Amino acid sequence: MHSRRDFLQKLTATAFTIPLVSTVVPEVFAERTNLYQNEKVLKVALMGLGSYANRVADAMRDCKRAKITGVISGTPSKIKDWQGRFNIPDKNCYNYENFDAIKDNPDIDAVYIITPNALHHPQALRVAAAGKHVICEKPMSINAQEGREMIEVCKKAGVHLLIGYRMHFEANTLEIVRMRREGELGTIRFFQGLSGFKIGDPTQWRLNRELAGGGAMMDIGIYAINGARYMVGEEPIWVTAQEVKTDPVKFREGVDETITFQLGFPSGAIASCLSTYNMNYLDKFYLNGDKGFAEMQPSTGYGPIRSWTHKGRLDLPHVTHQTTQMDEMAAIILDGKKAIIPVDGEEGWKDMVIIDAIFESIRTGKKEEITYV
């Protein structure tokens, strides 16, 4: 079985190499040193112990500010295995029926929800009701309405809601965003985002509309949407979209196989993007301005990210994305740090607003305005 996780790992591991022209070390590396000055550690329970949770857990072994202290799973054998690997006591282990009891557990500050997409909304509401901070994998929900409710419930409960946008802390990404913000690329005119791979096992939950809320768009296409926003530095105001389906058996009604979509921004910049479960080797961002360009390929895989601009190669030092993400999120929750590229609930909600508009454009065959209300 081939999954997105396998694809991203293999793609980045076998990325082609171009001779290094120049290396720029962004300020983010200096800033990360400050994370370790405060010894307070975020105590995290992982909910859903699948392949990505294992990746997060392994990465967190190197965290300075975040530690796994609990687990939540519907599979007792997984819990037993994780207890042995991460020295988790029985009192910090829960299932999906009883995890509301974390309310009375001081060993858990936050819960990282890594379950199928359709479960994010109800589980986040329960975690917030228990008074714990919510870290939720993307997409945060299956539509914008659910995302908005998650934001409001967490706000009312006085807890943080953060979305697992690991690329928002990645060095190459941050350097290109810095260049764009400081005018080194000039006026931004165009963005291209290509996100896709050929999915395997047709029985997996990612091809189940009830659990996934869609198909490729919810899984891999959201990288192109989110990337368009932070690379261009604006929120899109219109979208046109087209769907192509070559295998209606594997990709049933409501499960998208391939979608191309175009975004328009207030400045006049445009984006052209592709989301697919039927083509391999698609992990590329390209940003064009009237003074320069930036390109990344791979752009969102697990690393190392390869990047270059009109000034030469970047290819900044690789740190495991989930390690950086969890340390930075700990600083956001514990210290009130502000992320350079936001990872809060509003950030996740805007992606859902755009996804809703993409699906609506496919339904109507028309250009759809995007409104963030």
Side-chain angles (χ1 to χ4, degrees), residues 56-69:
V56 170
D58 288 340
M60 287 181 67
R61 293 182 188 275
D62 294 325
C63 283
K64 307 298 183 184
R65 300 293 307 277
K67 178 183 178 182
I68 297 173
T69 57

Side-chain angles (χ1 to χ4, degrees), residues 208-282:
N208 181 332
R209 182 184 182 184
E210 297 303 314
L211 288 176
M217 182 59 66
M218 288 289 189
D219 181 21
I220 195 76
I222 195 170
Y223 283 101
I225 293 172
N226 194 251
R229 295 176 50 230
Y230 62 69
M231 285 293 178
V232 174
E234 300 179 56
E235 303 300 348
I237 56 175
W238 60 258
V239 63
T240 56
Q242 307 79 36
E243 181 178 10
V244 176
K245 187 171 293 190
T246 64
D247 187 347
V249 175
K250 188 173 185 177
F251 302 98
R252 298 181 296 276
E253 181 68 25
V255 179
D256 51 283
E257 175 187 326
T258 300
I259 292 176
T260 57
F261 60 97
Q262 304 76 44
L263 299 169
F265 297 85
S267 66
I270 55 175
S272 177
C273 302
L274 172 67
S275 164
T276 185
Y277 265 162
N278 198 33
M279 303 176 212
N280 282 330
Y281 315 116
L282 289 175

Side-chain angles (χ1 to χ4, degrees), residues 1-3 198-207 250:
M1 181 184 76
H2 298 289
S3 70
K198 199 173 183 69
I199 200 167
D201 181 9
T203 66
Q204 63 182 282
W205 71 261
R206 289 183 179 85
L207 297 176
K250 188 173 185 177

Side-chain angles (χ1 to χ4, degrees), residues 189-203:
R189 303 296 191 190
F190 175 73
F191 171 82
Q192 181 187 49
L194 306 178
S195 300
F197 66 96
K198 199 173 183 69
I199 200 167
D201 181 9
T203 66

Side-chain angles (χ1 to χ4, degrees), residues 1 48 52 99 115 118 122 144 202 212 214 237 255 310 319 325 328 336 357 362 364 369 371:
M1 181 184 76
Y52 191 66
F99 76 80
T115 55
I237 56 175
V255 179
H310 59 288
V319 178
Q325 172 193 322
E328 293 284 349
I362 291 170
T364 64
E369 292 186 4
T371 56

Side-chain angles (χ1 to χ4, degrees), residues 36-332:
Y36 311 142
Q37 303 304 312
N38 187 336
E39 294 182 357
K40 190 172 182 182
V41 172
L42 185 72
K43 295 169 288 187
V44 181
L46 298 188
M47 179 185 292
L49 305 181
S51 61
Y52 191 66
N54 275 275
R55 181 177 291 276
V56 170
D58 288 340
M60 287 181 67
R61 293 182 188 275
D62 294 325
C63 283
K64 307 298 183 184
R65 300 293 307 277
K67 178 183 178 182
I68 297 173
T69 57
V71 290
I72 302 168
S73 174
T75 307
S77 60
K78 287 185 178 181
I79 292 178
K80 195 70 175 177
D81 173 61
W82 278 61
Q83 283 189 273
R85 289 163 54 201
F86 296 98
N87 194 29
I88 301 170
D90 289 340
K91 66 184 181 67
N92 292 354
C93 299
Y94 302 87
N95 58 44
Y96 296 128
E97 286 71 43
N98 68 10
F99 76 80
D100 307 274
I102 60 174
K103 180 178 182 179
D104 301 315
N105 192 335
D107 290 346
I108 297 172
D109 300 319
V111 175
Y112 193 165
I113 300 172
I114 315 177
T115 55
N117 305 337
L119 303 180
H120 294 176
H121 170 261
Q123 290 171 342
L125 300 190
R126 289 173 63 186
V127 172
K132 304 299 181 179
H133 300 293
V134 179
I135 302 172
C136 183
E137 253 312 297
K138 60 189 181 307
M140 69 183 297
S141 57
I142 60 172
N143 57 53
Q145 181 178 346
E146 286 191 356
R148 174 52 61 190
E149 185 176 1
M150 291 166 66
I151 292 170
E152 296 303 327
V153 167
C154 288
K155 182 178 180 181
K156 185 176 181 180
V159 299
H160 284 271
L161 170 59
L162 305 179
I163 313 301
Y165 290 116
R166 58 187 168 81
M167 300 310 300
H168 291 204
F169 308 107
E170 194 277 325
N172 294 269
T173 302
L174 290 173
E175 172 62 10
I176 292 172
V177 168
R178 183 202 64 77
M179 291 177 68
R180 187 260 301 158
R181 288 179 173 176
E182 295 186 8
E184 294 180 32
L185 304 179
T187 300
I188 300 302
R189 303 296 191 190
F190 175 73
F191 171 82
Q192 181 187 49
L194 306 178
S195 300
F197 66 96
K198 199 173 183 69
I199 200 167
D201 181 9
T203 66
Q204 63 182 282
W205 71 261
R206 289 183 179 85
L207 297 176
N208 181 332
R209 182 184 182 184
E210 297 303 314
L211 288 176
M217 182 59 66
M218 288 289 189
D219 181 21
I220 195 76
I222 195 170
Y223 283 101
I225 293 172
N226 194 251
R229 295 176 50 230
Y230 62 69
M231 285 293 178
V232 174
E234 300 179 56
E235 303 300 348
I237 56 175
W238 60 258
V239 63
T240 56
Q242 307 79 36
E243 181 178 10
V244 176
K245 187 171 293 190
T246 64
D247 187 347
V249 175
K250 188 173 185 177
F251 302 98
R252 298 181 296 276
E253 181 68 25
V255 179
D256 51 283
E257 175 187 326
T258 300
I259 292 176
T260 57
F261 60 97
Q262 304 76 44
L263 299 169
F265 297 85
S267 66
I270 55 175
S272 177
C273 302
L274 172 67
S275 164
T276 185
Y277 265 162
N278 198 33
M279 303 176 212
N280 282 330
Y281 315 116
L282 289 175
D283 184 8
K284 178 180 178 180
F285 284 178
Y286 174 76
L287 184 66
N288 179 271
D290 60 8
K291 292 183 180 179
F293 74 91
E295 190 164 356
M296 307 172 74
Q297 187 177 7
S299 57
T300 62
Y302 292 131
I305 300 301
R306 302 302 185 191
S307 62
W308 58 99
T309 77
H310 59 288
K311 296 182 176 182
R313 293 297 305 222
L314 297 179
D315 291 353
L316 296 168
H318 173 66
V319 178
T320 302
H321 298 168
Q322 295 81 3
T323 304
T324 305
Q325 172 193 322
M326 296 309 295
D327 271 339
E328 293 284 349
M329 286 186 167
I332 290 170

